[in-house]
Amino acid sequence: MNWSKSLNSLSAVAMILCCIDGYSQNTIKEYKVKYPDYNELILNDIQSYKISIEDDKLKIFQDSRSESMILSDIGIHNNKGSFTHSDLVKLVDYEAYSVITEKGKDKKVKVTQISEKFYDDSNVFHSAIKEKQVIFPNLETGAKKVLNYTTEFVDPHLLHKFVFGSGLPIENSSLEITTDKNITIGYKIFNDPDNKIEFTKTEKKGKIYYKWTLKDIKPLKSEAFAPGFLYFVPHIDIYIKDYTVDGKKTDVLDDVSKLYTYYRGFVNNLNKTEDPALKSLVEKITEGKTSESEKVKSIYYWVKDNIKYVAFEQGYEGFIPREAKLVFERKFGDCKDMASIITAMSRLANINTVYITWIGTRNIPYSYSDLATPAVDDHMIATYKRGNDYIFLDGTDKETEFGTPSSFIQGKEALIDENGTFKVVSVPIVTSAKNEVRETLKLKIDNDVLSGNGSISFFGYNKGHYLAQIGDATGKTRFEMIKSLVLKGNNKFNLKEFAENNISDKDKPYEINYDFQLENYVLKVDNEIFVNLNLDKAYESLLLEEDRKYKIELDFLTYNNAVYELEIPKEYTVSYLPKNTVFNNDLMEVEINYEQKDTKIILTTKIKIKKILFDKSEKDLWNQSVKNLKKAYNESIILKSKK
């Protein structure tokens, strides 16, 4: 019996019957009334797993079906569909077609335009994925797009999550799993606080049937500063706990120790052979370094500067780091390869406390206690244990200094392989003080022109953020980029000249010294001058939506620390200084202070952001903080002529 073909056919028939039964009474007009703001509606989004034992082996097939309806002429243009597969999730069969109405009857029109490419995914850990794309023919208002495909999971550790959500409304969404009785599955539901997902479990003729269903799902909303969608969309992560064949039980996943055992199998034999050329390099770059930390730092910086990041993995290469010798010869690698060469080079320097580490980026909301499966991790780094402290070494982030984790793993848990045992360690969130933007300006007024010279220094993540934006730009392009960084006041800002310092020094802040003029900024009225010293109004435009649905996430905490010093023109005195602004809450700490010292007015502005991720219930507090800032920013000093 052709199991895969039978599975595909039976599932497709069952789902088609379901659709006919559920939607025969509905018309396109009714859907348009129900969903007036959308050009397309997903009628069914269904996945079904068949997990069984065949020939004493675990067999896992997944059938996925999507059926949508075009609701308007604009929706016709959305004629593409796609699905993914890989060496570890093999494509068995697929079918794609449009359903149109012709002479009062439904007509199925098969897809003929099909292409395939590598899937452009930001993940840097799992296996290479291919994306098959189809173009649905003959679409019109009321037409349906149907895509059905079957895949086989080669590795039982790698079952997918199921997401109840889309950018379009969904009438019906369900996950179904059928297993033999001697197979135990686990599952975890996320983001369903009101228990709206309906669940049933039945047993019949040696099979266990699980089903989760959610209906009338509202489309996901696009919001600025929202975290990854897994933080808010309802979804289920499923995994196989164990299975039994001939009385012998095989464990798969259930806790961190089992996950570590699975991962450990990919690195057991890594870098067992010493490479003379790599050892010679290690001796050279650590020469004269007296401490272990200095040696690890030298190795870490060498890798960041000399190994180019390239994300390409195939099959289990998505889990297995390449040999350090190969990475050294190629001078490129992915995140796993960088972890491999950093740990290998450290051992060549007789440092045995730099370890391979698995970790999830901040796109993934789970901890290992939430879910101990490969769904928790999408990245790999090295970790240096210095005494009781852990220093996280991510070779893919070129600008972070030694001792600072990459920004996209802050607050996450790391699974560290400490010579055959494991430890789960939390990555700290880097304080705002370490990501300071420090600026000093000396200003003077000449008629209606405000001119000045200043220095701005970017520390921590701010340094990496802006250097990554500027890149290797030169000439006019670099000038314009620098101008955008130091821009003050209004569009009349004229950057005269600048100089950069510490571009390549990872241990020092990136610094720009510059001179500028700002025309049409100073306001003269009769014998008075009005000038607003708030030349850089940080956060004033970052008001959050009143109807916000999701949490708010920032890339990193930051600290704006600016001191602006204005020389009072000789023929003028100070008529008005704005009141100081000071407030401190759970999200933001602000101090805006004016003072006069002899012939100078000094404005000191300090703004610290205190949370990297906060709930939508704190939206009002954030917005009120921004409004308080804007009010302070609108204040001007007034100078009065002595004449």
Side-chain angles (χ1 to χ4, degrees):
M1 180 179 181
N2 188 327
W3 164 251
S4 61
K5 185 175 181 181
S6 175
L7 168 66
N8 194 45
S9 300
L10 288 173
S11 299
V13 169
M15 291 175 186
I16 289 171
L17 291 175
C18 171
C19 296
I20 292 172
D21 180 62
Y23 295 102
S24 59
Q25 301 304 313
N26 289 301
T27 67
I28 181 66
K29 290 182 179 180
E30 290 172 329
Y31 286 135
K32 282 184 173 183
V33 170
K34 188 174 181 180
Y35 304 102
D37 299 323
Y38 294 93
N39 302 309
E40 186 174 345
L41 163 68
I42 297 174
L43 298 173
N44 281 288
D45 181 24
I46 300 171
Q47 281 187 5
S48 60
Y49 284 86
K50 300 291 191 298
I51 307 174
S52 62
I53 305 293
E54 289 193 6
D55 300 325
D56 296 335
K57 293 182 180 179
L58 197 63
K59 286 283 188 180
I60 306 169
F61 289 91
Q62 181 198 67
D63 190 88
S64 300
R65 179 179 177 83
S66 174
E67 179 188 20
S68 64
M69 176 181 284
I70 305 299
L71 299 181
S72 73
D73 290 342
I74 296 175
I76 294 171
H77 300 292
N78 186 25
N79 62 349
K80 294 180 180 179
S82 66
F83 60 92
T84 59
H85 61 99
S86 69
D87 288 353
L88 298 179
V89 184
K90 293 184 175 181
L91 179 62
V92 176
D93 197 6
Y94 71 95
E95 184 180 25
Y97 56 89
S98 303
V99 178
I100 62 173
T101 301
E102 194 171 277
K103 296 180 180 180
K105 295 183 179 180
D106 284 348
K107 178 182 177 181
K108 185 164 74 172
V109 184
K110 287 189 175 182
V111 163
T112 57
Q113 290 182 271
I114 303 165
S115 61
E116 187 168 84
K117 64 175 184 178
F118 281 106
Y119 182 57
D120 183 15
D121 191 0
S122 60
N123 288 349
V124 293
F125 182 55
H126 296 303
S127 61
I129 299 172
K130 293 179 181 178
E131 181 180 35
K132 194 173 287 290
Q133 297 181 332
V134 301
I135 297 179
F136 292 96
N138 298 34
L139 292 183
E140 58 189 19
T141 300
K144 295 179 184 177
K145 302 187 302 185
V146 179
L147 176 60
N148 188 54
Y149 62 95
T150 301
T151 51
E152 180 181 6
F153 285 77
V154 174
D155 189 328
H157 297 82
L158 302 178
L159 300 191
H160 290 167
K161 62 177 59 65
F162 183 76
V163 176
F164 295 93
S166 169
L168 297 170
I170 304 175
E171 282 279 288
N172 175 66
S173 185
S174 65
L175 171 66
E176 303 170 11
I177 300 176
T178 302
T179 71
D180 290 347
K181 287 184 68 173
N182 53 351
I183 299 169
T184 307
I185 68 164
Y187 63 90
K188 189 73 176 285
I189 298 174
F190 295 93
N191 304 320
D192 184 31
D194 299 324
N195 297 315
K196 292 182 178 180
I197 298 173
E198 297 179 4
F199 172 65
T200 60
K201 179 182 177 182
T202 57
E203 205 172 310
K204 186 177 181 181
K205 296 182 179 179
K207 301 284 186 182
I208 302 176
Y209 300 88
Y210 306 82
K211 186 175 181 179
W212 298 265
T213 301
L214 188 61
K215 296 181 181 294
D216 294 325
I217 304 171
K218 294 181 179 179
L220 300 179
K221 179 185 176 184
S222 176
E223 290 183 340
F225 305 105
F229 72 95
L230 294 178
Y231 282 81
F232 49 81
V233 67
H235 64 279
I236 301 173
D237 274 280
I238 60 172
Y239 56 95
I240 296 174
K241 288 185 175 182
D242 57 65
Y243 59 96
T244 302
V245 178
D246 294 332
K248 182 181 178 181
K249 180 181 175 183
T250 300
D251 289 325
V252 182
L253 292 168
D254 197 22
D255 55 32
V256 185
S257 64
K258 292 184 178 66
L259 178 62
Y260 170 72
T261 299
Y262 175 65
Y263 284 163
R264 178 70 183 172
F266 297 120
V267 299
N268 264 332
N269 298 312
L270 184 65
N271 298 324
K272 296 295 185 182
T273 303
E274 185 177 290
D275 178 42
L278 189 57
K279 183 174 178 61
S280 177
L281 170 70
V282 170
E283 290 172 349
K284 180 180 178 181
I285 64 177
T286 59
E287 185 178 3
K289 309 297 181 185
T290 57
S291 72
E292 190 177 82
S293 289
E294 288 178 324
K295 292 178 181 180
V296 174
K297 181 200 271 190
S298 296
I299 290 167
Y300 181 45
Y301 283 177
W302 184 91
V303 171
K304 286 157 76 81
D305 290 338
N306 294 277
I307 304 300
K308 183 180 180 181
Y309 171 68
V310 177
F312 179 79
E313 300 99 3
Q314 188 71 32
Y316 277 114
E317 289 183 3
F319 293 86
I320 304 172
R322 294 170 180 85
E323 291 289 315
K325 178 179 185 296
L326 179 61
V327 180
F328 174 56
E329 290 171 349
R330 287 178 168 181
K331 296 295 188 295
F332 68 83
D334 59 24
C335 67
K336 304 180 306 300
D337 302 333
M338 291 182 176
S340 170
I341 195 170
I342 290 170
T343 54
M345 291 174 72
S346 299
R347 283 198 297 273
L348 290 172
N350 298 315
I351 301 168
N352 297 312
T353 54
V354 178
Y355 306 117
I356 289 288
T357 302
W358 297 270
I359 194 166
T361 61
R362 285 166 54 198
N363 286 327
I364 298 174
Y366 322 124
S367 67
Y368 290 105
S369 59
D370 290 332
L371 188 72
T373 79
V376 179
D377 301 313
D378 62 350
H379 195 37
M380 189 178 274
I381 61 173
T383 300
Y384 169 41
K385 187 176 183 181
R386 184 174 63 183
N388 294 322
D389 297 326
Y390 290 87
I391 296 176
F392 303 96
L393 310 173
D394 186 351
T396 68
D397 189 340
K398 295 298 183 184
E399 301 299 339
T400 49
E401 63 185 298
F402 180 74
T404 300
S406 46
S407 66
F408 48 83
I409 61 171
Q410 292 180 93
K412 297 293 295 180
E413 288 183 343
L415 180 59
I416 303 173
D417 178 15
E418 295 192 7
N419 297 323
T421 61
F422 73 88
K423 188 162 186 179
V424 175
V425 175
S426 293
V427 179
I429 293 175
V430 176
T431 63
S432 58
K434 291 186 177 181
N435 301 317
E436 182 181 1
V437 178
R438 184 185 303 166
E439 186 170 29
T440 59
L441 283 181
K442 294 186 182 300
L443 304 163
K444 63 181 181 179
I445 298 171
D446 186 7
N447 292 320
D448 64 345
V449 176
L450 183 68
S451 62
N453 60 79
S455 174
I456 186 167
S457 299
F458 299 97
F459 294 77
Y461 294 141
N462 273 304
K463 173 185 177 178
H465 174 73
Y466 290 114
L467 282 177
Q469 283 189 355
I470 297 169
D472 297 326
T474 58
K476 184 178 180 180
T477 300
R478 193 173 191 90
F479 180 88
E480 292 300 325
M481 287 182 168
I482 298 297
K483 181 179 178 180
S484 69
L485 283 184
V486 300
L487 184 71
K488 298 289 178 288
N490 57 35
N491 59 7
K492 298 292 185 179
F493 178 84
N494 180 22
L495 178 62
K496 306 292 287 184
E497 58 183 7
F498 70 91
E500 299 172 86
N501 296 316
N502 308 327
I503 296 174
S504 301
D505 192 330
K506 293 180 175 59
D507 296 321
K508 294 180 180 179
Y510 170 51
E511 183 180 270
I512 305 171
N513 298 308
Y514 62 100
D515 296 331
F516 72 94
Q517 286 184 337
L518 188 58
E519 297 181 0
N520 299 332
Y521 187 77
V522 176
L523 177 63
K524 285 187 175 182
V525 179
D526 297 329
N527 65 338
E528 291 183 320
I529 292 176
F530 296 80
V531 58
N532 189 327
L533 286 188
N534 297 288
L535 297 172
D536 190 4
K537 301 177 181 179
Y539 307 106
E540 75 161 349
S541 62
L542 295 186
L543 285 171
L544 301 172
E545 308 94 319
E546 290 299 326
D547 60 345
R548 187 164 188 104
K549 294 182 63 177
Y550 310 134
K551 292 183 177 182
I552 298 92
E553 182 184 46
L554 305 176
D555 290 338
F556 49 84
L557 301 179
T558 193
Y559 171 36
N560 295 77
N561 181 12
V563 178
Y564 295 170
E565 186 179 286
L566 174 67
E567 184 74 30
I568 301 170
K570 290 182 179 180
E571 63 274 18
Y572 283 84
T573 59
V574 177
S575 173
Y576 174 76
L577 276 183
K579 293 181 180 179
N580 296 332
T581 298
V582 178
F583 63 88
N584 188 2
N585 55 46
D586 290 342
L587 302 179
M588 193 182 294
E589 181 179 348
V590 172
E591 180 182 340
I592 299 175
N593 183 65
Y594 293 86
E595 65 175 321
Q596 181 179 352
K597 282 189 176 181
D598 299 325
T599 61
K600 295 180 175 64
I601 295 173
I602 300 171
L603 169 62
T604 303
T605 302
K606 297 181 179 180
I607 304 173
K608 287 184 180 179
I609 303 303
K610 300 171 69 174
K611 275 190 182 182
I612 198 169
L613 178 69
F614 51 96
D615 194 76
K616 66 177 182 178
S617 62
E618 297 177 280
K619 163 188 62 67
D620 291 340
L621 179 60
W622 175 269
N623 283 347
Q624 187 57 54
S625 301
V626 172
K627 290 174 183 177
N628 291 341
L629 275 176
K630 292 179 72 172
K631 182 179 179 182
Y633 288 155
N634 288 332
E635 289 278 0
S636 295
I637 64 172
I638 303 175
L639 305 176
K640 189 172 183 179
S641 174
K642 298 177 182 178
K643 298 178 182 179

